[in-house]
Amino acid sequence: MCFVVRLFLYTCLLSCSLAQAGFVMSPLNAPAVPSGTGNIYYTFDAHVQMSDVTNYQYLFTIGSIEGDCSKDSNVIINQTKINEVLSPQTVYFNTVGSCVEQFSFGSRSNPCYSVRPSIDTKFSFTINRNKLAALSGVALKTWQALHLSVRDANNYSAGCASQPLFIAIKPTEEIRISGLKDMVLTKRSSTGYEQDESFCVFVTDGGHYKLQASGGSASTSPFLLHNQTASISYTPQIDNHGSYTALSPGGWVTNFQGSQSLNCNNSTNAKVRVSIKESDAKRQPAGVYSGTLVLTVAPE
């Protein structure tokens, strides 16, 4: 009895939410264009729900067409000259089991007759990054107002839907490591010596980074402390989300969160631990041993 009631309520809510219009389009998650020059092939996905629709067509508009489903997208696009960013000016889209088509940017697709309650469509076209990076003023504002729209091709009164399509160039990602200091291993542990050192890793927009360690200038240099006649091995570990992960020469450890602040707001967001086993230290003559631990960070 409980299962039947839940199923009935879900069906009612779905049909009622679409009863006001022919289409409901989910917000578009358009990835940023990687920085650089020249053309790049660009793709994004759209999810659309339909109700009481006989066919559908896609078009790009400046601003939403909701409330005026008969807008002429060709005039709207061509007046803005933003189609120069598309090279060539061809849009491809593929709705699995329904439509596979291409149309000119600034026009509209042919009607698709395989109508279903819910469809997922992949769009792709080529972007000229030089032209995109050069947009400014009115042209840039117009580009930022670009929308993907969908409507019933033969019955505009059946409704339509639009979602903004934010396409921008991803800024060049910068990463910095700071706050590392010389370490003196004097702190005793249950098995030998260990010392922690906190530091800061900045990544543009607080993005993720990966970390690599080595015992010298070569990426695979072993972790050793030296005096004039002997050496002692040590183990570096990185604080990995609350637990410590041992580092190996040249190996990357991934999925760390960088700070949006260059100096981590006068704090730190990473920690490395260096340890020496008591047994390794006792096998070598007394003296001062030193070495270099090289930490490398890179955007992920």
Side-chain angles (χ1 to χ4, degrees):
M1 178 65 72
C2 182
F3 175 77
V4 174
V5 171
R6 287 179 180 174
L7 181 61
F8 170 76
L9 288 175
Y10 173 78
T11 304
C12 177
L13 288 172
L14 178 61
S15 62
C16 289
S17 65
L18 295 176
Q20 301 300 319
F23 301 88
V24 175
M25 186 187 301
S26 299
L28 303 175
N29 184 16
V33 176
S35 58
T37 59
N39 293 346
I40 185 170
Y41 201 61
Y42 184 83
T43 64
F44 71 93
D45 298 320
H47 177 75
V48 179
Q49 293 175 285
M50 306 179 188
S51 177
D52 297 324
V53 174
T54 58
N55 55 56
Y56 64 96
Q57 69 178 169
Y58 285 109
L59 56 156
F60 288 94
T61 58
I62 302 304
S64 173
I65 66 170
E66 294 179 16
D68 185 6
C69 299
S70 63
K71 276 186 178 180
D72 187 336
S73 62
N74 191 50
V75 172
I76 296 172
I77 293 291
N78 286 342
Q79 285 180 344
T80 66
K81 299 183 180 179
I82 64 170
N83 53 352
E84 294 179 3
V85 177
L86 279 292
S87 177
Q89 296 166 16
T90 305
V91 179
Y92 301 87
F93 75 91
N94 182 3
T95 305
V96 178
S98 181
C99 262
V100 178
E101 195 188 337
Q102 66 185 61
F103 61 99
S104 297
F105 191 83
S107 65
R108 59 182 75 94
S109 74
N110 290 324
C112 299
Y113 296 100
S114 299
V115 178
R116 292 170 293 177
S118 176
I119 60 170
D120 290 288
T121 305
K122 180 177 289 293
F123 289 84
S124 58
F125 43 82
T126 303
I127 290 181
N128 185 318
R129 286 183 286 187
N130 302 69
K131 295 285 188 180
L132 178 57
L135 290 177
S136 62
V138 175
L140 178 59
K141 290 182 179 179
T142 304
W143 175 262
Q144 292 172 340
L146 182 64
H147 281 59
L148 173 67
S149 299
V150 61
R151 66 185 178 190
D152 193 312
N154 295 330
N155 181 16
Y156 296 158
S157 63
C160 55
S162 297
Q163 283 289 343
L165 180 63
F166 299 113
I167 304 175
I169 292 181
K170 183 179 181 181
T172 302
E173 198 163 35
E174 184 181 0
I175 186 167
R176 296 186 188 182
I177 184 171
S178 61
L180 284 169
K181 302 175 183 177
D182 292 342
M183 302 173 66
V184 180
L185 273 72
T186 58
K187 182 181 177 181
R188 298 300 298 262
S189 69
S190 59
T191 58
Y193 301 84
E194 70 177 27
Q195 191 72 32
D196 292 348
E197 182 69 37
S198 298
F199 56 98
C200 172
V201 179
F202 159 80
V203 184
T204 302
D205 295 328
H208 286 83
Y209 70 93
K210 57 184 178 179
L211 181 142
Q212 180 192 69
S214 70
S217 56
S219 63
T220 56
S221 296
F223 302 127
L224 295 171
L225 302 179
H226 305 274
N227 71 1
Q228 294 180 348
T229 59
S231 61
I232 301 173
S233 63
Y234 67 90
T235 300
Q237 302 175 77
I238 191 72
D239 185 350
N240 191 355
H241 307 290
S243 62
Y244 282 89
T245 298
L247 300 170
S248 58
W252 289 98
V253 183
T254 61
N255 195 30
F256 294 101
Q257 185 79 50
S259 172
Q260 298 185 57
S261 166
L262 283 172
N263 65 352
C264 294
N265 295 313
N266 294 316
S267 184
T268 59
N269 65 345
K271 183 189 297 182
V272 64
R273 172 174 293 174
V274 174
S275 58
I276 296 176
K277 292 181 179 179
E278 180 87 23
S279 56
D280 290 340
K282 284 185 175 180
R283 280 197 290 264
Q284 304 302 335
V288 176
Y289 292 76
S290 63
T292 301
L293 173 63
V294 178
L295 297 180
T296 303
V297 290
E300 190 176 38

